[in-house]
Amino acid sequence: MIMNSSKVRNFKSVGSNNSYENGTELRRGPWTLEEDNLLIQYISCHGEGRWNSLAKCAGLKRTGKSCRLRWLNYLKPDIKRGNLTPHEQLLILELHSKWGNRWSKIAQHLPGRTDNEIKNYWRTRVQKQARQLKVDSNSKKFLEAIRTHWMPRLLEKMEQNNSSLNSSPSSSISTLETQNFTAPSPVFNQAHLPSPNVVNNSDMSNLTVKIPEILTPGKNFHAKSLEDDCYHVDNIPSYDMQELEYQDILLSGRQVAENDWFEDLGSAFWNTDELWQFRKPEEVGV
DNA sequence: AATCATTCCAACCGCGCGATT
DNA sequence: TAATCGCGCGGTTGGAATGAT
């Protein structure tokens, strides 16, 4: 992948404090096509690693760190481009609920996706929704919203993909995106999910997603507590009592709609074609 | 058409950890 | 054992692209 030429326009060299010991100035900012080619050629011949010496040996006036970043996030051949699939989005939501901001760890389970990409996705898409709803993205309210609204919607989306795949064998949608999922109907307590429940390796063909138990049959979609439903979030601070009051209103999928906040969320959340787009809070009365 | 605001993402930075000397 | 080095991670930023007014 060649860098966007518009980025090249703004290339700037570094100041005097960025230099090798021999006085050669280091470059910063967007990479040029020439630099990309140098890095690709060098790595194809010598492999990765020893980034500082690699940078020098390759004739790049860059820090090893910069070379590593450019390679891992952009130039590496198996980097996957384009929008995240519903499957990948669901994985991110689920894995983030387990591991928090452990982006590299999460990325290990999404082949071709980088930690940087996943981090950006979380900040620009997921946290945006939290901001629009005026809730903290780490708050219990928002996490429950993800679990009870977003995840089922993604599963539904995947089911749609699956259907179109079945009806259209020549579809370009990869079977890897759908084969391990049986998406539930929008009525959450009818959710049917695959097993086992664990993301078990980095091979996408073998990936399965652990869905919170709240979405599994027999749970009747009734949240009790974080402990009860095995919803683990490593880095989430303890909730204050006001937050905990929401325990009382986390009801079933249908009952949830009676709660103002969730009703607004629910209607705002899924009425658009794009999975991500809430309407603005004021438009939906939040 | 011009200006301003927002979104998105590539790239940078600081820090911590493990390996090496 | 302490000092140094190299690497990887998570957080943050800069600016192009896009949208709104």
Side-chain angles (χ1 to χ4, degrees):
Chain A
M1 178 67 72
I2 303 304
M3 75 177 298
N4 188 324
S5 60
S6 63
K7 300 277 186 185
V8 180
R9 278 202 307 271
N10 245 15
F11 175 83
K12 57 188 176 191
S13 60
V14 299
S16 59
N17 58 335
N18 293 275
S19 60
Y20 288 125
E21 55 279 6
N22 65 6
T24 305
E25 280 200 352
L26 289 174
R27 292 166 67 98
R28 294 175 58 190
W31 282 61
T32 65
L33 180 58
E34 185 182 359
E35 288 176 309
D36 282 347
N37 287 335
L38 274 175
L39 184 57
I40 290 169
Q41 285 175 14
Y42 189 88
I43 290 178
S44 68
C45 291
H46 302 93
E48 303 175 32
R50 291 276 161 183
W51 292 103
N52 281 334
S53 57
L54 181 153
K56 291 177 185 177
C57 294
L60 287 159
K61 296 171 183 174
R62 295 270 183 177
T63 64
K65 213 173 200 179
S66 179
C67 293
R68 173 184 166 272
L69 202 68
R70 182 65 175 171
W71 175 254
L72 293 178
N73 285 344
Y74 206 82
L75 298 175
K76 205 173 177 182
D78 58 0
I79 294 293
K80 200 188 285 185
R81 294 284 159 190
N83 293 335
L84 294 163
T85 66
H87 184 180
E88 289 171 324
Q89 292 166 30
L90 188 62
L91 261 176
I92 292 170
L93 294 177
E94 171 55 20
L95 295 179
H96 187 274
S97 76
K98 290 167 65 179
W99 298 326
N101 296 355
R102 305 284 301 279
W103 306 119
S104 61
K105 190 171 183 178
I106 293 171
Q108 288 172 6
H109 295 274
L110 287 98
R113 301 298 186 179
T114 68
D115 56 353
N116 209 33
E117 187 175 12
I118 293 168
K119 181 170 55 182
N120 282 332
Y121 164 77
W122 187 266
R123 293 183 63 82
T124 60
R125 306 295 219 285
V126 180
Q127 290 193 337
K128 185 178 85 174
Q129 309 310 331
R131 282 198 303 273
Q132 289 183 351
L133 289 164
K134 295 184 171 66
V135 296
D136 189 283
S137 62
N138 281 337
S139 71
K140 185 170 183 295
K141 280 184 287 188
F142 190 67
L143 292 171
E144 287 292 344
I146 286 176
R147 186 165 46 153
T148 59
H149 288 74
W150 207 333
M151 285 181 163
R153 185 67 182 86
L154 284 167
L155 286 165
E156 188 184 355
K157 185 75 176 176
M158 287 159 54
E159 170 67 11
Q160 289 170 6
N161 286 351
N162 202 18
S163 298
S164 62
L165 187 69
N166 290 338
S167 62
S168 175
S170 61
S171 166
S172 61
I173 298 172
S174 166
T175 55
L176 299 184
E177 297 172 21
T178 56
Q179 66 185 12
N180 287 312
F181 291 87
T182 304
S185 76
V187 180
F188 306 138
N189 60 6
Q190 294 175 4
H192 174 69
L193 296 159
S195 62
N197 292 343
V198 176
V199 175
N200 45 24
N201 61 37
S202 61
D203 180 355
M204 203 66 161
S205 64
N206 291 326
L207 277 179
T208 54
V209 177
K210 178 184 177 180
I211 303 298
E213 286 183 44
I214 194 169
L215 292 176
T216 59
K219 277 286 181 179
N220 200 29
F221 201 63
H222 192 292
K224 291 177 288 184
S225 70
L226 293 180
E227 290 75 21
D228 287 343
D229 60 22
C230 303
Y231 195 67
H232 306 295
V233 181
D234 294 338
N235 62 345
I236 291 179
S238 58
Y239 305 111
D240 60 32
M241 293 309 292
Q242 280 187 324
E243 292 280 274
L244 288 173
E245 288 175 8
Y246 269 83
Q247 297 289 349
D248 298 330
I249 53 176
L250 293 172
L251 304 174
S252 74
R254 294 177 191 280
Q255 290 171 304
V256 153
E258 295 168 7
N259 173 263
D260 286 347
W261 190 85
F262 267 98
E263 182 175 21
D264 291 339
L265 173 65
S267 61
F269 214 98
W270 307 120
N271 281 353
T272 58
D273 290 338
E274 292 296 324
L275 282 168
W276 316 119
Q277 292 176 351
F278 291 106
R279 280 180 279 166
K280 290 192 172 80
E282 56 271 25
E283 291 181 78
V284 296
V286 172

